[in-house]
Amino acid sequence: MTATVYAVANQKGGVAKTTTVVSLAAALTELGFAVLAIDMDPQSALTFSLGYDAGQMQASMHDVLVRSEPLERAVHQHAETDVAVANADLAGAEVTLAARAGREFRLRGALEPLRATYDVVLIDCPPSLGVLTLNGLTAADRLLVPVQCETLAHRGVAQLLETVADVRQLTNPDLRIAGFVATMYDSRTRHAAAVIDDVAQRYSMPLIGVPVRSSVRFAEAPHAGRSILRYADRVPGAAAYRVIAAELACVPVDAQVRTRAEGRRT
Ligand SMILES: Nc1ncnc2c1ncn2[C@@H]1O[C@H](COP(=O)(O)OP(=O)(O)OP(=O)(O)O)[C@@H](O)[C@H]1O
Ligand SMILES: [Mg+2]
């Protein structure tokens, strides 16, 4: 086996990158895939939302990127996914790596020995287009863009796609755009649906699966150290991530799950 590596990126803050990584990791694990989620954000929301504190751990992504520690030393086995943890030290990596040759290739190199261990790798990028996100895009086969269904949501996407063009030219010619995940969708407004159509047409990017509906349960799940799939299995958003995972993995979507994702009763 050789892993398919996804970078989950959007330099806009708070669009559900981390939530998408956790939820998709859990959904892909449910489907029987071996999944690794990698925290590339110094805010370490991914690490915390699975119940870890990398300050207490033997190694983190900072050590992997800066000190060339093997990636597996930063990996922990959560019940729902393997996760490579980060802490605030990672902010220092931006600075340290800036002065190093081949700085964009650190993650790609670190991941190489583990590509045979996993089916899917999901990289949680920080809300910036700095060296950490460039590492994510350089290590990835495909880019997944979470887009929040709100006015002007598309604005940052153009800049992200310019960065993708640079990455293709300079560090990773094989990077493909998988598509976008529509997040925090409010089905009561026509506006949210218009945002999705606009992004799809403007950037010729496919919507993956179905929009992920808003639920306060998403904000609660990290406090329990679980994904939405384990924390609040019945909310439409949990079903939506199952649909998205199935679509990415090219496996059939259960009709009942799709119905639930669309907010209809099953
Ligand atoms: N479908 C949803 N419905 C309601 N709230 C959501 C949904 N998805 C995510 N959220 C909430 O939105 C907030 C931002 O989500 P998240 O941290 O995943 O975004 P992010 O893009 O990773 O942020 P950052 O740019 O800071 O890394 C969190 O409080 C999260 O719980
Ligand atoms: Mg995040």
Side-chain angles (χ1 to χ4, degrees):
M1 113 175 119
T2 177
T4 304
V5 181
Y6 291 91
V8 178
N10 185 340
Q11 76 280 10
K12 196 162 188 294
V15 298
K17 292 179 286 296
T18 303
T19 304
T20 295
V21 168
V22 172
S23 310
L24 279 183
L28 287 160
T29 300
E30 265 185 10
L31 290 173
F33 295 101
V35 185
L36 172 64
I38 300 179
D39 196 346
M40 284 292 279
D41 187 352
Q43 296 177 96
S44 5
L46 172 65
T47 300
F48 284 115
S49 65
L50 291 170
Y52 297 104
D53 178 355
Q56 315 284 327
M57 302 187 143
Q58 56 167 357
S60 71
M61 286 309 296
H62 172 266
D63 306 307
V64 172
L65 297 170
V66 173
R67 300 207 191 104
S68 305
E69 290 272 359
L71 177 58
E72 65 216 59
R73 291 203 65 218
V75 173
H76 297 267
Q77 271 128 32
H78 185 274
E80 298 186 79
T81 178
D82 281 10
V83 56
V85 298
N87 60 20
D89 291 349
L90 197 50
E94 288 264 6
V95 183
T96 315
L97 292 181
R100 292 224 193 138
R103 55 186 166 265
E104 293 93 351
F105 295 90
R106 307 294 295 188
L107 180 59
R108 190 183 182 92
L111 199 49
E112 204 51 53
L114 290 188
R115 281 189 85 131
T117 309
Y118 294 100
D119 299 303
V120 184
V121 176
L122 299 166
I123 303 168
D124 187 20
C125 296
S128 74
L129 293 172
V131 73
L132 294 170
T133 295
L134 291 176
N135 264 272
L137 294 174
T138 301
D141 303 305
R142 295 159 169 227
L143 167 67
L144 205 56
V145 188
V147 174
Q148 189 179 345
C149 302
E150 57 161 24
T151 318
L152 303 180
H154 68 271
R155 277 218 165 155
V157 178
Q159 203 191 352
L160 177 61
L161 296 184
E162 277 170 30
T163 304
V164 168
D166 289 345
V167 165
R168 280 190 184 134
Q169 218 165 47
L170 297 169
T171 62
N172 184 7
D174 299 327
L175 179 62
R176 295 211 320 234
I177 297 170
F180 70 103
V181 175
T183 67
M184 299 181 228
Y185 180 71
D186 181 351
S187 58
R188 291 166 304 180
T189 69
R190 237 187 284 164
H191 170 68
V195 168
I196 294 173
D197 288 344
D198 179 50
V199 169
Q201 278 174 25
R202 205 183 276 260
Y203 303 109
S204 315
M205 262 200 315
L207 170 73
I208 314 271
V210 293
V212 181
R213 280 158 198 259
S214 286
S215 163
V216 291
R217 310 289 265 167
F218 275 98
E220 296 168 8
H223 297 285
R226 296 178 182 188
S227 79
I228 193 76
L229 279 69
R230 283 273 180 102
Y231 182 74
D233 183 58
R234 301 291 299 181
V235 303
Y241 278 113
R242 288 191 172 103
V243 172
I244 294 165
E247 199 167 291
L248 288 177
C250 299
V251 302
V253 180
D254 185 284
Q256 228 181 25
V257 171
R258 187 180 288 277
T259 303
R260 212 180 292 156
E262 287 165 355
R264 291 183 282 137
R265 289 190 184 281
T266 51

